[in-house]
Amino acid sequence: MTVTLADVAARAQVSPATVSRVLNGNYPVAAATRERVLRAVDDLDYVLNGPASALAAATSDLVGILVNDIADPFFGIIAGAVQSEIGGPGGRAGGERLAVVCNTGGSPERELTYLTLLQRQRAAAVILTGGAIEDAEHAAAMAGKLRRLAEAGTRVVLCGRPPSPETDAVALTFDNRGGGRRLTAHLLDLGHRRVGYIAGPRERSTTRHRLEGHRAALAAHGVEDDPALTVHGPYDRRSGYDATVELLRRAPELTAVVAANDTVALGACAALRDKGLRIPDDVSVAGFDDLPFSVDAVPALTTVRLPLYEAGARAGRIAMGKEEPPPGGVATVHGELMVRGSTAGPR
Amino acid sequence: MTVTLADVAARAQVSPATVSRVLNGNYPVAAATRERVLRAVDDLDYVLNGPASALAAATSDLVGILVNDIADPFFGIIAGAVQSEIGGPGGRAGGERLAVVCNTGGSPERELTYLTLLQRQRAAAVILTGGAIEDAEHAAAMAGKLRRLAEAGTRVVLCGRPPSPETDAVALTFDNRGGGRRLTAHLLDLGHRRVGYIAGPRERSTTRHRLEGHRAALAAHGVEDDPALTVHGPYDRRSGYDATVELLRRAPELTAVVAANDTVALGACAALRDKGLRIPDDVSVAGFDDLPFSVDAVPALTTVRLPLYEAGARAGRIAMGKEEPPPGGVATVHGELMVRGSTAGPR
DNA sequence: CTGTTAGCGCATTCAG
DNA sequence: CTGAATGCGCTAACAG
């Protein structure tokens, strides 16, 4: 049947313990012996039994990554970056670690469920990406889960998410508030006064922070914050389209639209064009994140660039213990305003 | 310390076996007993030990997904679809399965390495997405690995990849050849005769099939296949940009560009615009895949829509045994020509 | 429907 | 540097 460590040991004429040592490489073994073992492994086409190994060692080579939606490049880029860092030396049996990507779809229940599942797998680390769901009860439940994971030896890192109180999870947070403020300030500096805002879903830290930044800019410029100019919706193209139609209905005189992210902004652009409005001549449009397609939009999208790849890679390294966590366990990652063709002075 | 099954059993005053049965739900247990066990689980905050469970049962709740690049929505969409189908009843302990996403970056070595790693984890299933690397030696090595996985009880499904000979892996292949043919035929029907082609990387089945379709259309229309009009490059925006510049240098008179996929097409559009050429007035552009951003390009991109989500979901169901494999183990998934604003008759 | 009994395959003490 | 022994936590027969 299936080849086991004992089979390899027999063929190499050593004890199972020695084979284990060779495979894990965390222990001195004579070169000649190692050679013999490796040849036996090769001859028998032996593949280590992960579950057995994890059981005995009380830790696995799995790293969990929680994302809202893996089809969204925002998360895909982060997930890819994390994965590029979790391999390499340090893990069991060659240091190869596998990424378990969990699509929560933004659901609080699934978020908790996946954490339990990862705890069940005795994951070596867990990385939570994207904004947090802002609900006291859920936050408490999450903090509890994260604490228990940490106690069990799982390293926890938050990437693009605010710190979780009562937890010593390392947090790499994005400066969504500052980015939102600079983006709207840019429009106000251009002379816009009626600026529509398409916010993300409610009860999400990302949504709130970006919106707060927007409002801070309005306040700083002495522009009234008309509630009718803000519409909430999911982070997708459709939401951008629909929200823009609604904003135009409520305030046909608006001269600029700020979207919760680039995908939403693309939907907004489509709606404006369908209404016969030119960008930026009639209405300026701005997004957030600077996803790869944003520079190719026509006109190219003004947005706030978030270093998603770098942040994901850093989160991965911290999760692997390859990099020191930032002092205090919290680091803020700043965005960069990218002014492009989609914004100009009002007509 | 950490709570085990035995602790739960003790508290519920039943045997460990009963707790196991309640948790896995694949066995009759008296309602009252189940209640008692569940309460004990809750009281103790017990979480099953996945590795131990997998070791004893000789199978895990992990499903591997091999992708070229998770940051590319093409793969993100498929991965998300697979994940939406792998949960649900049928698995161990609540039927929750986890997706292990493996970024191969198109490297043959990593492809094989990841398969070994998934074999090590005793994955319940493995889904390979995207085109195959066309190298006899590598194909043989892959076939061998897939065979061994299947022998060990891992279900293997190919999604968007041609069947693997000498293997009984189920294959859901995309009709890249047919899509490529229809796309180029569309341009030829519009009157184009000098059509540039930006192909994907060499030695990839997807690249070859799309290119073959293109050539078949040229032949059918009696148009010469000028080798100078084909350029190879990776599946990214940059490649589209650079290749277009090169094509324009070689053949300034060309009136249309067909790209290996939508991302490449976007790069091509950028290059054309930078050269002062209008789309489609001066040069028509066409892509492949119909990724979400393609409809929002300006002008909207003519392309071949591949039902990525549906294909991924189906692959997931087949991998889970929730759906019958297609007869013969192979099904061809067809694309749909989406004619949009980026193509028109030649100037 | 429930309890008892044996391992699953490996990592890790502890000796040597 | 290597071997022998022990147990990780659970599931799956087998009884009852």
Side-chain angles (χ1 to χ4, degrees):
Chain A
M1 267 300 293
T2 155
V3 183
T4 73
L5 233 196
D7 300 329
V8 176
R11 186 173 234 273
Q13 316 210 57
V14 296
S15 73
T18 301
V19 178
S20 173
R21 287 172 186 136
V22 170
L23 260 28
N24 288 308
N26 325 326
Y27 216 82
V29 174
T33 315
R34 157 181 287 106
E35 270 313 306
R36 212 143 27 91
V37 169
L38 290 177
R39 182 161 41 250
V41 165
D42 227 48
D43 290 349
L44 299 175
D45 225 353
Y46 170 67
V47 175
L48 195 63
N49 183 319
S53 165
L55 171 59
T59 177
S60 78
D61 281 328
L62 300 175
V63 173
I65 308 177
L66 261 62
V67 301
N68 277 347
D69 179 11
I70 192 62
D72 183 338
F74 178 91
F75 295 102
I77 291 169
I78 295 177
V82 168
Q83 209 188 93
S84 73
E85 293 289 349
I86 62 177
R92 318 190 57 66
E96 292 288 4
R97 253 149 315 206
L98 290 171
V100 176
V101 176
C102 306
N103 251 15
T104 65
S107 148
E109 295 78 31
R110 298 185 60 183
E111 203 167 64
L112 286 166
T113 301
Y114 275 125
L115 285 182
T116 301
L117 257 29
L118 291 168
Q119 182 182 354
R120 174 184 298 182
Q121 296 297 336
R122 303 302 187 255
V126 170
I127 296 174
L128 294 88
T129 68
I133 296 161
E134 301 203 305
D135 171 82
E137 194 181 339
H138 180 250
M142 286 293 285
K145 270 258 162 265
L146 295 185
R147 239 177 288 123
R148 242 160 292 135
L149 276 166
E151 277 165 19
T154 297
R155 244 179 292 219
V156 179
V157 179
L158 313 179
C159 181
R161 174 178 296 226
S164 172
E166 314 292 315
T167 280
D168 41 45
V170 173
L172 262 34
T173 69
F174 292 147
D175 177 25
N176 287 308
R177 195 182 281 111
R181 188 172 40 66
R182 288 201 298 285
L183 192 58
T184 295
H186 157 68
L187 287 166
L188 297 175
D189 286 343
L190 286 173
H192 294 275
R193 286 303 172 265
R194 295 291 284 170
V195 179
Y197 191 88
I198 308 176
R202 295 171 192 281
E203 319 283 296
R204 296 292 253 301
S205 62
T206 305
T207 297
R208 183 166 63 78
H209 290 152
R210 291 183 183 179
L211 185 49
E212 283 175 5
H214 169 69
R215 287 179 174 153
L218 290 178
H221 284 250
V223 176
E224 181 211 7
D225 175 24
D226 182 349
L229 288 183
T230 296
V231 178
H232 281 269
Y235 282 118
D236 59 29
R237 171 191 193 271
R238 173 66 180 275
S239 157
Y241 192 100
D242 294 348
T244 301
V245 171
E246 173 63 15
L247 283 172
L248 249 22
R249 195 186 61 70
R250 292 186 193 171
E253 79 285 5
L254 62 73
T255 61
V257 172
V258 177
N261 75 9
D262 289 352
T263 307
V264 174
L266 238 50
C269 289
L272 291 170
R273 261 191 300 272
D274 285 356
K275 292 282 182 188
L277 294 167
R278 290 162 306 164
I279 305 165
D281 312 70
D282 296 317
V283 178
S284 286
V285 176
F288 208 113
D289 294 343
D290 196 23
L291 295 184
F293 58 73
S294 303
V295 69
D296 282 320
V298 177
L301 202 59
T302 291
T303 186
V304 176
R305 164 174 292 176
L306 249 26
L308 300 175
Y309 190 92
E310 292 74 8
R314 188 170 171 201
R317 285 193 300 270
I318 293 172
M320 291 302 96
K322 297 201 280 186
E323 176 175 326
E324 282 302 303
V330 178
T332 300
V333 175
H334 292 277
E336 180 189 358
L337 180 63
M338 307 296 289
V339 176
R340 302 206 182 103
S342 69
T343 51
R347 60 176 171 269
Chain B
M1 270 295 292
T2 153
V3 183
T4 73
L5 232 197
D7 300 328
V8 176
R11 186 174 233 273
Q13 316 209 55
V14 296
S15 75
T18 300
V19 178
S20 173
R21 296 199 258 253
V22 170
L23 260 29
N24 287 309
N26 322 327
Y27 216 82
V29 174
T33 316
R34 158 181 286 106
E35 271 313 306
R36 212 143 28 89
V37 170
L38 256 24
R39 184 163 39 252
V41 166
D42 226 48
D43 289 349
L44 298 176
D45 225 353
Y46 170 68
V47 175
L48 193 64
N49 183 317
S53 164
L55 171 58
T59 174
S60 79
D61 281 329
L62 300 176
V63 173
I65 308 178
L66 260 62
V67 301
N68 275 347
D69 178 11
I70 193 61
D72 183 337
F74 178 92
F75 294 102
I77 290 169
I78 294 177
V82 168
Q83 211 190 86
S84 72
E85 293 289 348
I86 61 176
R92 318 190 55 68
E96 293 288 4
R97 252 148 316 206
L98 290 171
V100 176
V101 176
C102 307
N103 251 16
T104 65
S107 147
E109 294 78 32
R110 297 185 60 183
E111 204 166 64
L112 286 165
T113 301
Y114 275 125
L115 285 182
T116 300
L117 256 29
L118 290 168
Q119 181 183 355
R120 172 184 300 182
Q121 296 297 336
R122 304 302 188 254
V126 170
I127 296 173
L128 294 88
T129 69
I133 296 159
E134 301 201 306
D135 171 82
E137 195 181 340
H138 180 249
M142 287 292 284
K145 270 258 162 266
L146 295 185
R147 241 179 286 125
R148 243 161 288 134
L149 276 166
E151 276 165 20
T154 297
R155 242 178 294 219
V156 180
V157 179
L158 313 180
C159 181
R161 174 178 295 228
S164 172
E166 312 294 313
T167 281
D168 41 47
V170 174
L172 264 34
T173 68
F174 292 148
D175 177 24
N176 286 308
R177 194 181 282 111
R181 189 174 38 68
R182 288 201 297 287
L183 192 57
T184 294
H186 157 69
L187 288 166
L188 298 175
D189 287 342
L190 285 172
H192 294 275
R193 285 301 172 266
R194 293 292 284 170
V195 180
Y197 191 88
I198 308 175
R202 295 171 193 280
E203 317 285 295
R204 296 291 252 302
S205 61
T206 305
T207 298
R208 184 168 59 81
H209 291 151
R210 292 183 182 180
L211 184 50
E212 283 175 2
H214 168 69
R215 288 178 174 155
L218 291 178
H221 284 250
V223 176
E224 181 213 5
D225 176 25
D226 181 350
L229 288 183
T230 296
V231 178
H232 282 269
Y235 282 118
D236 59 28
R237 171 192 193 272
R238 173 63 181 276
S239 156
Y241 192 100
D242 294 348
T244 301
V245 171
E246 173 63 16
L247 283 172
L248 250 22
R249 194 186 62 70
R250 293 187 193 171
E253 78 286 5
L254 61 74
T255 61
V257 172
V258 176
N261 74 9
D262 290 353
T263 307
V264 174
L266 239 50
C269 288
L272 291 170
R273 261 191 300 274
D274 285 357
K275 291 283 181 186
L277 295 168
R278 291 162 306 163
I279 304 165
D281 312 70
D282 296 317
V283 178
S284 286
V285 176
F288 208 113
D289 294 344
D290 196 23
L291 295 183
F293 58 72
S294 302
V295 69
D296 282 321
V298 178
L301 201 60
T302 290
T303 185
V304 175
R305 163 174 293 175
L306 249 24
L308 300 176
Y309 189 92
E310 292 74 10
R314 188 170 172 203
R317 286 192 301 272
I318 293 172
M320 292 301 96
K322 298 201 280 186
E323 177 176 326
E324 282 301 304
V330 179
T332 301
V333 175
H334 293 277
E336 180 188 359
L337 180 63
M338 308 296 288
V339 175
R340 302 206 183 102
S342 70
T343 51
R347 61 176 171 266

